[in-house]
Amino acid sequence: MKKKFFVLMLAAAMTTSLLTGCADDEWDEEGYDDKYGEEEYEYEEVETPPSTADGVKGLSMSVNNDSGELSIERMSLSPGDNVTDDNTWTIFVYLCGTDLESDGSAGTGDLDEMMKASPSDNVRFVVETGGTNQWNNSDVDSSKIQRFVVQNSEISLVDEQSLANMGAKDTLTDFLTWGVENYSSEHMGLVMWNHGGGSITGVCFDEMHDNDSIDLMELDTSLFACAEKSGRKFDFIGFDACLMGSVECANILATYSAYMYGSEESEPGSGWDYAAIGSYLADNPDANGADLGKVVCDSFLASCEREGDSDITTLSVIDLSKVDNLLTEFNTFAKKMYEAGSDSSQVADMIRGIQEADNFGGNNKSEGYTNMVDLGGVINACGNYVEGSDAAIKALNDAVVYKVSGSTHPEAMGLSMYYPLCIQGSNELSVFGKVSVSPYYVSFVDRQNKTGATDETFEEYNDDQWFSDEGEWEWGESDDDSYWDYADNYEQTGESKYITFEADPDVDEEGYFGFTLDEKGLSNAAGVSALVYEVSQDGNSLIELGETLEISGDWETGTFKDDFNGYWLSLPDGQNLAIYPVESSGNYVIYTSPILLNGEETNLRIKLDYRSDEITIEGAWNGIDECGAADRNIIKIKDGDVITPVYYSLNMDGEDIGEYEGAEFTVSGEFEIVYDIMEAGSYDYSFCIDDIYGDYYVTEYVEFTVSEDGEVSF
């Protein structure tokens, strides 16, 4: 057997520097004389659609079940850029500092970037600060809500309020209504700055208020209150935050803004480049939202490249005037998708495609689940079975007018959507039911989950619960959130009754471990992977070394067998890491490995590139927290760091019994990860077969050995 040995040498010193605070003489607390706040603008009377649900003010969407047609009615607002002709720009920044500031000075750094922008009387940032235990400069007070104007390389404190929860809609509403009343200009943008969690948990998690966040319905409420007073749209609304570039979010913002800037993926901690943004507007004050959006994307990607965090980067500019057409085409597609899914054997192929589509924010048991999947990936996964995919993809491409992405997301199409890769309880699903843009997509998702969690069969499912007696679905409505309670009682068994075999898992005459699914099993299987274990030293438990995709299989025949060559990722001291695929393609696979880094729980991200035979250590990432917020900080491994591998531990019957910690390894000089044949000895191996209903089937373990010369035999 030809041996492979991959080593990555990393610089010992961490190159990412903390952003420093501003000098005292740069901060002026005497206030700010607003040169164009004295002029009052007259707007047309605002027309609003009928409210469809609590907190949903600016939008009405309905579907008639007989025709399947989607109707959309939005609040009527002025475009905004026609109120004056003075080419002035105000960018409102809702800067909820949280741990990004208290632990990393990221908020202070971005304020500093705003002051480094080219001076201009036509451009200003109006910033509200709060939401963090500590500001890493002497001028911003964490015990208050404060408001600043940044212009011409100076920052001025212009207003203070009592401390309030920045994860609450009222706090955002107060800032927006105050800001637009006092600092209106020809062009206006809004930046939501903080952690993001995607379509379910929203944005701006306040660490001083139990990490409460602003969800999409609350965002709608705040934007509606602002629009009622101003009568106009923002030129853009953007998220300097993770995971907010979703179609559910775009649907909300389409009422209130011309463009949306959002990332499908987690955002690296460096975030947007505000110096580049301010300088561009200083030189091009007549720019529109699309022009500025391209600069935001390009400068963000360049910033990530400087910090070495560009691989996972995504950012898109969405023309929100095209969103209604996208929603209409997707609803038409989703209806056919739901109808085609009534054939369980056909829906299995569709779900396999969705699960293989580009997804964002981790989505594994080590890092947690965001359940955010590329919208184009969902459409394409079902395109062979559903008419209308071309029209839906065209509408998506029309809406996404510009985007950037790093090497791990070359196929990301610019907008994500919620799809439950892992069921996480009734609250998540009830929020999904409110924000989803099509009742037929809700039905497609609900049918799979409910079948797996209840005694109701796939064939018994119907979507009547989403429609009134008159056959109408109203977006945002939910008469009975308890409908989703079935998810709270759902437990994965590891023994899915839907996975059945024509040939049971066994080792064949040639020494390969494999199986063949029967017709029922094949029509209910969503994916196949394998788990590798070693026996603990006391012989009483199994230590899970992780998951491998080295399997050969045929979805036409249902026959699968191991293709395992015995290679594994390890630390230089020989300890095998527990590794779990985050993302894979024909060219590379990204693994996550649970570790302790200097005693703190986190995950090591490792990219194995098949094309160049290189390993890249992307750094340590904390994943998704219990509130649903994605961590933005990718920690670079540096000289002197102590890494302790962490493994899931099982008893000999396969039941989880906790975690097992390996030995401490101290990084000395350059850090290397080794990809080589496993140490000679005996190990255990089992297949893990996911069903399409959220459960899985783990086969009996079989033993394999690695010989002294590197041969693997089952």
Side-chain angles (χ1 to χ4, degrees), residues 135-416:
W135 287 94
N136 292 302
N137 60 72
S138 61
D139 298 277
V140 182
D141 189 343
S142 63
S143 68
K144 302 175 182 177
I145 293 291
Q146 294 183 304
R147 293 162 176 169
F148 300 90
V149 170
V150 184
Q151 188 172 26
N152 289 321
S153 304
E154 295 182 353
I155 185 165
S156 304
L157 178 66
V158 296
D159 189 52
E160 288 186 336
Q161 301 289 324
S162 299
L163 185 65
N165 176 10
M166 290 193 76
K169 64 179 183 295
D170 289 347
T171 309
L172 176 60
T173 300
D174 288 345
F175 171 58
L176 293 180
T177 54
W178 168 87
V180 172
E181 180 179 356
N182 290 281
Y183 297 100
S184 184
S185 60
E186 180 182 0
H187 301 284
M188 298 196 304
L190 168 64
V191 179
M192 303 294 289
W193 189 106
N194 184 243
H195 291 291
S199 297
I200 303 302
T201 55
V203 67
C204 293
F205 296 75
D206 188 321
E207 72 174 354
M208 301 183 76
H209 292 84
D210 298 322
N211 285 316
D212 188 22
S213 63
I214 296 173
D215 64 31
L216 294 188
M217 295 300 190
E218 292 174 318
L219 182 60
D220 175 82
T221 299
S222 295
L223 292 171
F224 175 82
C226 176
E228 267 198 316
K229 290 195 172 183
S230 72
R232 60 175 290 187
K233 292 185 177 184
F234 288 95
D235 291 65
F236 78 86
I237 298 175
F239 298 90
D240 193 355
C242 300
L243 301 165
M244 298 306 296
S246 73
V247 67
E248 294 91 351
C249 188
N251 180 38
I252 295 285
L253 299 194
T255 305
Y256 307 107
S257 181
Y259 293 90
M260 177 179 91
Y261 311 156
S263 172
E264 293 187 82
E265 182 56 280
S266 303
E267 262 200 10
S270 54
W272 293 6
D273 186 340
Y274 291 90
I277 294 168
S279 295
Y280 172 77
L281 291 178
D283 294 336
N284 303 275
D286 59 344
N288 60 27
D291 298 330
L292 177 61
K294 184 177 186 299
V295 173
V296 173
C297 288
D298 290 342
S299 61
F300 170 60
L301 180 60
S303 175
C304 293
E305 289 172 343
R306 289 193 297 270
E307 299 294 340
D309 296 330
S310 62
D311 283 355
I312 68 168
T313 299
T314 65
L315 194 62
S316 303
V317 179
I318 311 302
D319 182 347
L320 295 175
S321 70
K322 305 293 181 62
V323 163
D324 285 357
N325 182 56
L326 171 59
L327 300 178
T328 300
E329 294 294 350
F330 178 75
N331 178 71
T332 300
F333 179 80
K335 185 175 189 296
K336 296 175 182 177
M337 180 177 164
Y338 169 63
E339 293 167 350
S342 61
D343 181 341
S344 63
S345 62
Q346 188 161 279
V347 80
D349 286 338
M350 296 162 67
I351 291 176
R352 282 194 289 270
I354 293 172
Q355 293 190 344
E356 292 172 0
D358 208 354
N359 64 79
F360 310 98
N363 294 307
N364 57 73
K365 70 178 183 180
S366 178
E367 295 178 341
Y369 287 84
T370 66
N371 290 323
M372 299 306 299
V373 179
D374 188 68
L375 172 59
V378 171
I379 296 170
N380 285 327
C382 304
N384 290 333
Y385 309 94
V386 180
E387 294 180 358
S389 62
D390 289 346
I393 290 294
K394 182 181 184 304
L396 172 60
N397 289 332
D398 288 344
V400 181
V401 294
Y402 192 74
K403 60 185 175 70
V404 295
S405 59
S407 61
T408 61
H409 293 296
E411 298 178 359
M413 296 190 67
L415 279 173
S416 64

Side-chain angles (χ1 to χ4, degrees), residues 613-629:
D613 286 354
E614 291 183 355
I615 296 173
T616 303
I617 302 172
E618 296 186 339
W621 187 58
N622 291 338
I624 312 302
D625 69 16
E626 64 277 5
C627 299

Side-chain angles (χ1 to χ4, degrees), residues 647-692:
Y647 310 86
Y648 299 105
S649 181
L650 300 82
N651 64 24
M652 301 308 288
D653 293 327
E655 298 172 340
D656 291 336
I657 57 175
E659 294 182 348
Y660 173 83
E661 294 180 9
E664 291 184 352
F665 169 77
T666 301
V667 177
S668 178
E670 296 173 326
F671 180 42
E672 61 180 16
I673 288 290
V674 179
Y675 184 63
D676 198 6
I677 195 72
M678 302 170 75
E679 183 179 345
S682 297
Y683 302 86
D684 286 332
Y685 181 104
S686 64
F687 288 109
C688 181
I689 309 164
D690 294 324
D691 71 22
I692 62 176

Side-chain angles (χ1 to χ4, degrees), residues 702-713:
V702 298
E703 183 179 280
F704 72 91
T705 59
V706 179
S707 68
E708 293 291 345
D709 61 359
E711 293 293 335
V712 176
S713 58

